[in-house]
Amino acid sequence: MIHKRWFQSLIAGILVSLFILLIHEIHFFFDPFFTYLTAIAIPFIGGGILFYISRPVMLFLEKYRIPRLLAILVVFLLYIFAGFLITRFIAPIAQEQFSRLIENFPRMIDMVGETVNYWQQNQAIIPDQFNSAINGVVQNLESYLKDASTIIIDVISQFIGFVFALILVPLFLFFMLKDGDKLVPFVRQFLNDRVGKSFERLARSLDHTLNSFIIGQLTVSVFVGMLLLVGYLVIGLHYSLTLALFAMLMNVIPFVGPFLAVIPAVLVALFQDPILVLYVAIIMVIAQQIEGNLVSPNVMGKALDIHPLTVITIILAAGSLAGFLGLLFAIPAYALVKTVITHFYNEWIANKTEQ
């Protein structure tokens, strides 16, 4: 019986459950470890994202026989120059627009409520049940929108807090660029030949997954943000730069990001001129169609190969468990776990075939 697959699966499930129970009972033992991980999470993740953005530039410079340290210096100078351009030309306009947007937000909320009330009072043919539902929405609309504004302000406040924690990011980035390619050989020297080759293949797969997601998602977000900025400027929408930057940030969140990005633009358009809501919707649809049919397939390809329903499920669960950070990191974390499981499954199939 012990050789039956169902019995082995049962024993494996029991062992995994006991292991989880053991970890839960001695969680205090791991608290210092998790505290350490929390402390280095921001500079490590920030440095990792910049590493994948910077590595192509560094490798390009090395092709022309430029020493690595000098290539890294050029990368840092490029970041400093980009930061100067942002703070000199973009940040002042965005800050001014954002301040005016926050000042006008309460009036936008009131106007939305008044518009719904006016529409409701002048529609005599609407059934009473539908009127009751509309009444409930109107009564709660202001609180919902105020909560939304609070969430946006909280996110921005957290972002500002992150800025102060990003001091170590350049240091992490420097050593990642300088010694990043030494990690796999360092680990492999402690493994036998078969396991070492398997580990090297796994490392390449993980690197490809992270590179595809980070570069692809950032490229898509920047592209969509620029399209929306041009569109908003064409139709004369107020706070166009701030709204485009917000859309760029929200598009980092897979699938649900575009829907979150359009909410402030619709509110501003409704407050400025109701006809602009239609134009905003058209611009968003055009931007998403171009992104979905041209940019994403060519930039990200099928590297992640995650079904949209899986994306929705993961994002809903991660948002409930970890909030905004869960939305940001759920998909890449899932992609990494999927890559690891796929790798070991393929290794198992290969070993079984050889036997």
Side-chain angles (χ1 to χ4, degrees):
M1 185 178 66
I2 61 175
H3 297 293
K4 299 290 185 180
R5 177 164 297 182
W6 66 266
F7 182 77
Q8 295 175 350
S9 301
L10 177 63
I11 296 299
I14 294 174
L15 292 176
V16 170
S17 301
L18 290 175
F19 178 75
I20 295 174
L21 178 62
L22 177 63
I23 294 296
H24 179 268
E25 293 297 326
I26 61 172
H27 64 87
F28 60 89
F29 179 79
F30 298 96
D31 285 344
F33 176 71
F34 287 120
T35 301
Y36 171 76
L37 289 181
T38 303
I40 67 170
I42 294 176
F44 181 78
I45 294 174
I49 293 174
L50 293 179
F51 167 76
Y52 281 102
I53 298 174
S54 309
R55 185 172 60 176
V57 179
M58 182 188 72
L59 295 179
F60 174 78
L61 294 175
E62 286 187 333
K63 286 183 179 179
Y64 292 92
R65 301 184 181 276
I66 296 178
R68 172 158 296 193
L69 289 179
L70 183 58
I72 295 175
L73 177 61
V74 172
V75 168
F76 274 80
L77 290 177
L78 289 175
Y79 278 122
I80 294 173
F81 180 68
F84 169 77
L85 293 179
I86 292 173
T87 55
R88 179 68 176 84
F89 298 104
I90 299 177
I93 301 174
Q95 181 180 5
E96 188 269 337
Q97 290 186 1
F98 179 75
S99 299
R100 289 193 290 116
L101 178 60
I102 293 299
E103 291 175 1
N104 291 326
F105 207 77
R107 285 193 294 164
M108 295 180 189
I109 295 173
D110 294 337
M111 197 197 81
V112 172
E114 292 173 0
T115 302
V116 175
N117 282 328
Y118 176 81
W119 176 78
Q120 178 188 2
Q121 293 169 3
N122 288 273
Q123 297 292 327
I125 61 173
I126 297 178
D128 292 337
Q129 295 85 350
F130 191 71
N131 268 327
S132 300
I134 290 292
N135 280 329
V137 173
V138 171
Q139 290 173 2
N140 295 315
L141 180 62
E142 184 173 352
S143 61
Y144 290 157
L145 292 177
K146 287 182 178 178
D147 290 342
S149 64
T150 302
I151 292 173
I152 293 173
I153 294 174
D154 289 342
V155 169
I156 294 174
S157 300
Q158 292 178 6
F159 176 77
I160 294 175
F162 286 154
V163 171
F164 292 100
L166 296 180
I167 300 175
L168 292 177
V169 167
L171 186 63
F172 274 68
L173 174 61
F174 172 79
F175 285 107
M176 286 179 179
L177 291 173
K178 179 177 178 292
D179 302 322
D181 54 354
K182 299 178 182 178
L183 177 61
V184 173
F186 174 78
V187 175
R188 186 173 176 177
Q189 67 180 339
F190 299 103
L191 307 173
N192 60 45
D193 185 62
R194 184 179 66 84
V195 177
K197 290 180 179 178
S198 176
F199 173 76
E200 188 173 357
R201 289 192 293 270
L202 175 60
R204 284 199 301 266
S205 298
L206 292 174
D207 180 71
H208 175 70
T209 299
L210 281 175
N211 184 76
S212 299
F213 180 82
I214 292 173
I215 299 298
Q217 202 65 36
L218 290 178
T219 302
V220 167
S221 297
V222 171
F223 181 82
V224 171
M226 293 178 63
L227 280 180
L228 294 180
L229 176 61
V230 173
Y232 293 162
L233 290 174
V234 169
I235 66 175
L237 187 66
H238 293 166
Y239 322 114
S240 55
L241 178 59
T242 298
L243 294 174
L245 290 175
F246 177 77
M248 190 182 300
L249 175 64
M250 289 297 102
N251 268 274
V252 176
I253 305 173
F255 195 82
V256 300
F259 299 98
L260 298 176
V262 75
I263 294 175
V266 169
L267 290 176
V268 171
L270 187 63
F271 179 74
Q272 182 179 340
D273 186 354
I275 192 61
L276 289 179
V277 175
L278 177 61
Y279 297 153
V280 168
I282 293 174
I283 292 171
M284 178 59 71
V285 170
I286 293 174
Q288 291 304 320
Q289 287 299 313
I290 294 176
E291 177 267 321
N293 293 289
L294 296 178
V295 181
S296 290
N298 292 313
V299 174
M300 299 180 70
K302 297 185 179 297
L304 301 184
D305 192 23
I306 303 176
H307 194 275
L309 183 59
T310 304
V311 173
I312 297 173
T313 305
I314 294 172
I315 287 177
L316 289 175
S320 300
L321 294 175
F324 183 74
L325 291 179
L327 297 177
L328 284 178
F329 298 111
I331 299 303
Y334 171 82
L336 291 177
V337 172
K338 179 183 176 182
T339 301
V340 172
I341 294 176
T342 302
H343 169 79
F344 283 111
Y345 176 77
N346 292 333
E347 292 289 312
W348 178 72
I349 293 296
N351 291 333
K352 190 175 181 180
T353 303
E354 292 176 359
Q355 296 174 359

